[in-house]
Amino acid sequence: MVSVPAKIHLLGEHAAVYGKPAILTAVDRRLSVTVFASNQKEALDEYQNLRQIIEPIITKELKIKEIPPYKLTISSQIPIGSGLGSSAAVATGVIAALLLFLKVKWNVNLVNKLAFEAEKVFHGNPSGGDNATVVFGGLLWFQKISQDKKIIKHLPFSIPEKLARNFVLIDTGKPAESTREMVNGVRLLSQEKPKVVEKFLIDQQHLTHELVEVIKNSNEERLMQIIREGERNLETIGVVSPYVSSMIRIIEAVGGAAKICGGGGKTKGTGMLLAYHPNPLVIKQIAEKRKLSFFQTRLGVEGLRRE
Ligand code: MEV
């Protein structure tokens, strides 16, 4: 069995697709996958689509004709389509479990490479940040240089406890739009209004660089400002619905900060909202008032692992 964590973007979602840096962290919601031999040739389980996407990626890489019949089980604490990297976690878990089943030597770089191929099928044009984070875990600096080249660095520190304990994740609801659609929307915007997207990219890049020092130095005030500015920038490219941006304004008005942490959404829900307040109870009350579920979780947890 293998297990894989969820991820959030502290900053850099969407910008990462255009080669700008992102900071991501693995969060303590895990997905477990087991693969074992089964004699039923046509395993007509609920994972047919997934099998059809993942198997060719593996057989091509290993230069084998087919994978012997197997039974697949997936159990997950990661909500689907909520900005927590569920698709990257599924791809990573299934690929890693299948490679173990095929007796391939444990190699996280190989899993990451193949999970990126699966993400391309799921999303069209992923940056690779989601799969890198769920594979390698911790607190990551990620930058896509080209399709084949990415900078993936563990930051040499973790989020200080003083900050980490004040993050709350609020579930604003599954977006009506897929990540593929959201990424595509930004691409269309970059053709219609190139200046808007260029400004977004430059502003996010500066904030992402600054965020490294801010986390390292545990600078709470500036952390909240960066989350607010990063969120406003995301709003300029149309990835935050009015429903969620108005909730974020309320969080800001009571001295907190919040941002989407993945592809976002246009109509209502935008998936998980990453919220911060020096007193996280304040955020919880705002979520409760709206009957939205929320949770606090450990950040910077271990990536893909054998169980
Ligand atoms: C999705 O979790 C993050 C995006 O930046 C897409 C990507 O990086 O592949 C929206």
Side-chain angles (χ1 to χ4, degrees), residues 250-270:
I250 291 167
I251 293 171
E252 290 172 352
V254 295
K259 62 178 280 295
I260 59 162
C261 54
K266 271 188 178 308
T267 34
K268 193 165 183 215
T270 57

mmCIF file of all heavy atoms in Angstrom, residues 250-270:
data_model
loop_
_atom_site.group_PDB
_atom_site.id
_atom_site.type_symbol
_atom_site.label_atom_id
_atom_site.label_comp_id
_atom_site.label_asym_id
_atom_site.label_seq_id
_atom_site.Cartn_x
_atom_site.Cartn_y
_atom_site.Cartn_z
ATOM 1 N N ILE A 250 -15.041 39.782 3.990
ATOM 2 C CA ILE A 250 -15.496 39.756 5.393
ATOM 3 C C ILE A 250 -14.348 39.281 6.303
ATOM 4 O O ILE A 250 -14.094 39.843 7.359
ATOM 5 C CB ILE A 250 -16.748 38.860 5.523
ATOM 6 C CG1 ILE A 250 -17.917 39.566 4.821
ATOM 7 C CG2 ILE A 250 -17.093 38.562 6.975
ATOM 8 C CD1 ILE A 250 -19.134 38.703 4.579
ATOM 9 N N ILE A 251 -13.640 38.267 5.835
ATOM 10 C CA ILE A 251 -12.498 37.763 6.623
ATOM 11 C C ILE A 251 -11.443 38.873 6.769
ATOM 12 O O ILE A 251 -10.878 39.087 7.847
ATOM 13 C CB ILE A 251 -11.906 36.494 5.949
ATOM 14 C CG1 ILE A 251 -12.917 35.344 6.027
ATOM 15 C CG2 ILE A 251 -10.571 36.099 6.582
ATOM 16 C CD1 ILE A 251 -12.547 34.099 5.218
ATOM 17 N N GLU A 252 -11.237 39.605 5.690
ATOM 18 C CA GLU A 252 -10.256 40.708 5.741
ATOM 19 C C GLU A 252 -10.721 41.806 6.701
ATOM 20 O O GLU A 252 -9.915 42.370 7.450
ATOM 21 C CB GLU A 252 -10.059 41.298 4.337
ATOM 22 C CG GLU A 252 -9.333 40.346 3.393
ATOM 23 C CD GLU A 252 -9.297 40.810 1.929
ATOM 24 O OE1 GLU A 252 -9.966 41.820 1.599
ATOM 25 O OE2 GLU A 252 -8.607 40.161 1.137
ATOM 26 N N ALA A 253 -12.020 42.081 6.673
ATOM 27 C CA ALA A 253 -12.559 43.173 7.497
ATOM 28 C C ALA A 253 -12.394 42.898 8.999
ATOM 29 O O ALA A 253 -12.347 43.827 9.797
ATOM 30 C CB ALA A 253 -14.024 43.401 7.165
ATOM 31 N N VAL A 254 -12.288 41.602 9.353
ATOM 32 C CA VAL A 254 -12.105 41.296 10.783
ATOM 33 C C VAL A 254 -10.631 41.003 11.095
ATOM 34 O O VAL A 254 -10.303 40.373 12.097
ATOM 35 C CB VAL A 254 -13.008 40.124 11.247
ATOM 36 C CG1 VAL A 254 -14.477 40.512 11.150
ATOM 37 C CG2 VAL A 254 -12.743 38.851 10.424
ATOM 38 N N GLY A 255 -9.752 41.448 10.202
ATOM 39 C CA GLY A 255 -8.315 41.357 10.495
ATOM 40 C C GLY A 255 -7.648 40.082 10.027
ATOM 41 O O GLY A 255 -6.522 39.788 10.430
ATOM 42 N N GLY A 256 -8.316 39.323 9.148
ATOM 43 C CA GLY A 256 -7.708 38.101 8.628
ATOM 44 C C GLY A 256 -7.354 38.224 7.167
ATOM 45 O O GLY A 256 -7.373 39.333 6.593
ATOM 46 N N ALA A 257 -7.029 37.119 6.558
ATOM 47 C CA ALA A 257 -6.697 37.094 5.136
ATOM 48 C C ALA A 257 -7.087 35.724 4.606
ATOM 49 O O ALA A 257 -7.085 34.739 5.362
ATOM 50 C CB ALA A 257 -5.198 37.311 4.926
ATOM 51 N N ALA A 258 -7.447 35.662 3.329
ATOM 52 C CA ALA A 258 -7.813 34.364 2.746
ATOM 53 C C ALA A 258 -7.601 34.399 1.249
ATOM 54 O O ALA A 258 -7.632 35.463 0.622
ATOM 55 C CB ALA A 258 -9.268 34.022 3.061
ATOM 56 N N LYS A 259 -7.391 33.240 0.698
ATOM 57 C CA LYS A 259 -7.220 33.112 -0.758
ATOM 58 C C LYS A 259 -7.675 31.725 -1.197
ATOM 59 O O LYS A 259 -7.688 30.790 -0.391
ATOM 60 C CB LYS A 259 -5.767 33.365 -1.184
ATOM 61 C CG LYS A 259 -4.776 32.369 -0.591
ATOM 62 C CD LYS A 259 -3.363 32.616 -1.078
ATOM 63 C CE LYS A 259 -3.114 32.049 -2.455
ATOM 64 N NZ LYS A 259 -3.200 30.576 -2.538
ATOM 65 N N ILE A 260 -7.985 31.616 -2.482
ATOM 66 C CA ILE A 260 -8.229 30.288 -3.023
ATOM 67 C C ILE A 260 -6.896 29.536 -2.979
ATOM 68 O O ILE A 260 -5.836 30.160 -2.810
ATOM 69 C CB ILE A 260 -8.775 30.342 -4.472
ATOM 70 C CG1 ILE A 260 -7.800 31.054 -5.423
ATOM 71 C CG2 ILE A 260 -10.142 30.997 -4.518
ATOM 72 C CD1 ILE A 260 -8.043 30.768 -6.890
ATOM 73 N N CYS A 261 -6.906 28.225 -3.149
ATOM 74 C CA CYS A 261 -5.600 27.559 -3.107
ATOM 75 C C CYS A 261 -5.461 26.503 -4.197
ATOM 76 O O CYS A 261 -4.812 25.499 -4.032
ATOM 77 C CB CYS A 261 -5.279 27.019 -1.725
ATOM 78 S SG CYS A 261 -6.500 25.946 -1.020
ATOM 79 N N GLY A 262 -6.062 26.779 -5.340
ATOM 80 C CA GLY A 262 -5.925 25.868 -6.476
ATOM 81 C C GLY A 262 -6.474 26.573 -7.705
ATOM 82 O O GLY A 262 -6.251 27.764 -7.895
ATOM 83 N N GLY A 263 -7.255 25.858 -8.496
ATOM 84 C CA GLY A 263 -7.768 26.430 -9.741
ATOM 85 C C GLY A 263 -8.848 27.488 -9.547
ATOM 86 O O GLY A 263 -9.083 28.313 -10.404
ATOM 87 N N GLY A 264 -9.541 27.467 -8.395
ATOM 88 C CA GLY A 264 -10.624 28.427 -8.137
ATOM 89 C C GLY A 264 -11.896 28.052 -8.863
ATOM 90 O O GLY A 264 -12.065 26.911 -9.319
ATOM 91 N N GLY A 265 -12.819 28.998 -8.943
ATOM 92 C CA GLY A 265 -14.101 28.754 -9.600
ATOM 93 C C GLY A 265 -14.745 30.078 -9.963
ATOM 94 O O GLY A 265 -14.450 31.107 -9.349
ATOM 95 N N LYS A 266 -15.635 30.034 -10.941
ATOM 96 C CA LYS A 266 -16.217 31.284 -11.457
ATOM 97 C C LYS A 266 -17.607 31.563 -10.912
ATOM 98 O O LYS A 266 -17.983 32.708 -10.740
ATOM 99 C CB LYS A 266 -16.356 31.178 -12.978
ATOM 100 C CG LYS A 266 -15.133 31.630 -13.731
ATOM 101 C CD LYS A 266 -15.457 31.679 -15.223
ATOM 102 C CE LYS A 266 -14.308 32.172 -16.053
ATOM 103 N NZ LYS A 266 -13.724 33.427 -15.629
ATOM 104 N N THR A 267 -18.388 30.494 -10.685
ATOM 105 C CA THR A 267 -19.803 30.726 -10.403
ATOM 106 C C THR A 267 -20.139 30.771 -8.913
ATOM 107 O O THR A 267 -20.673 31.755 -8.444
ATOM 108 C CB THR A 267 -20.672 29.676 -11.108
ATOM 109 O OG1 THR A 267 -19.964 28.432 -11.132
ATOM 110 C CG2 THR A 267 -21.000 30.072 -12.509
ATOM 111 N N LYS A 268 -19.767 29.720 -8.153
ATOM 112 C CA LYS A 268 -20.086 29.777 -6.720
ATOM 113 C C LYS A 268 -18.896 29.283 -5.894
ATOM 114 O O LYS A 268 -18.005 30.049 -5.564
ATOM 115 C CB LYS A 268 -21.366 29.011 -6.415
ATOM 116 C CG LYS A 268 -21.841 29.346 -5.022
ATOM 117 C CD LYS A 268 -23.262 28.931 -4.719
ATOM 118 C CE LYS A 268 -23.589 29.425 -3.305
ATOM 119 N NZ LYS A 268 -24.438 28.543 -2.571
ATOM 120 N N GLY A 269 -18.874 27.979 -5.649
ATOM 121 C CA GLY A 269 -17.772 27.455 -4.852
ATOM 122 C C GLY A 269 -16.439 27.558 -5.592
ATOM 123 O O GLY A 269 -16.389 27.478 -6.825
ATOM 124 N N THR A 270 -15.375 27.735 -4.804
ATOM 125 C CA THR A 270 -14.033 27.749 -5.419
ATOM 126 C C THR A 270 -13.160 26.676 -4.767
ATOM 127 O O THR A 270 -11.941 26.760 -4.797
ATOM 128 C CB THR A 270 -13.340 29.118 -5.232
ATOM 129 O OG1 THR A 270 -13.279 29.390 -3.823
ATOM 130 C CG2 THR A 270 -14.092 30.238 -5.935
#
